[in-house]
Amino acid sequence: MRRAAVVLAGGRSDRMGRDKASLDWLGIPLVAHVAGVVGDALDHGPVVVVRSAGQALPPLPAGVEVVDDRAAGRGPLQGLRDGLDALAGRAEVAFACGVDAPLLVPAFVHRVVGAVGADVDAAIPVVAGRRHPLLAAYRVALGPLAAVLLDEGVRELGRLAASCHARLLDERALLADPELAAADPELHSVVNVNTPEEYRRALALARGPNPTGD
């Protein structure tokens, strides 16, 4: 199946105190980092960044597309719907994530996207008992279903997964992939950053132990 990705860069970032998309991540803007990771994972298939209308974004990797959230205040389900609509006819399955997943690795994207098969519409990671519908894979054809749910007042991504044939991937299922087990055995890919403290902890994980003790 042709594969793509949707990165949601909008949102109010209230707890962070500033736009998460523009946070510096080891020398590059966070949105550019995440878009680059998913692009590399998908062999440079289409990557769509969904932003709030009027949101200024820093420079993105070559080929990354930007679309506007068409309806403010309707949550991540609206952003996913906009991204899936932008990919219609160009891909069958899309990995969807937020801009706040700095520790995401390509192997995680591979594993989740690969779990969408002939009888599976979505693949949802479940780590430490928590579902991650914004680090998940969805059939692009789910765009119309997302539109129906939005018209019914639904805003949560989890409702989309509950309304289709979704496969849940717990730690055992995720780490059964040798590539992911080697690249991210602790599944730090699911770490997101919503506050300055979470951001600092994620940076510490990315940098690893300091052998000098400084």
Side-chain angles (χ1 to χ4, degrees):
M1 291 187 291
R2 292 175 298 172
R3 301 173 176 185
V6 175
V7 179
L8 303 190
R12 296 171 58 181
S13 302
D14 289 340
R15 287 190 287 163
M16 184 62 71
R18 56 173 295 188
D19 183 8
K20 288 186 283 188
S22 298
L23 286 173
D24 178 83
W25 184 259
L26 303 178
I28 65 172
L30 185 53
V31 63
H33 166 71
V34 174
V37 169
V38 296
D40 289 346
L42 300 169
D43 297 323
H44 304 285
V47 176
V48 173
V49 172
V50 183
R51 66 177 180 180
S52 300
Q55 180 185 7
L57 291 178
L60 299 170
V64 172
E65 306 167 32
V66 177
V67 301
D68 286 346
D69 186 329
R70 292 177 291 187
R74 299 181 79 180
L77 184 58
Q78 178 68 52
L80 178 62
R81 182 238 174 143
D82 291 332
L84 295 180
D85 285 354
L87 292 168
R90 297 189 290 154
E92 284 75 47
V93 61
F95 182 83
C97 65
V99 71
D100 54 358
L103 301 176
L104 181 65
V105 298
F108 187 91
V109 179
H110 290 162
R111 176 68 185 105
V112 176
V113 169
V116 177
D119 299 320
V120 178
D121 297 316
I124 314 295
V126 182
V127 177
R130 178 186 174 190
R131 298 188 184 193
H132 292 272
L134 197 48
L135 280 166
Y138 300 89
R139 285 192 177 276
V140 172
L142 290 173
L145 175 57
V148 169
L149 293 171
L150 286 162
D151 288 344
E152 293 174 351
V154 175
R155 302 291 181 263
E156 301 82 13
L157 279 176
R159 286 285 299 279
L160 179 62
S163 301
C164 67
H165 186 185
R167 179 181 177 187
L168 301 180
L169 301 170
D170 63 11
E171 293 96 333
R172 182 175 180 179
L174 290 165
L175 295 174
D177 179 356
E179 180 188 15
L180 179 55
D184 188 11
E186 301 298 322
L187 294 176
H188 288 152
S189 286
V190 304
V191 170
N192 59 16
V193 293
N194 292 306
T195 67
E197 179 57 30
E198 290 173 350
Y199 170 69
R200 288 190 289 269
R201 288 200 297 264
L203 272 176
L205 287 171
R207 289 170 173 155
N210 186 341
T212 66
D214 295 336

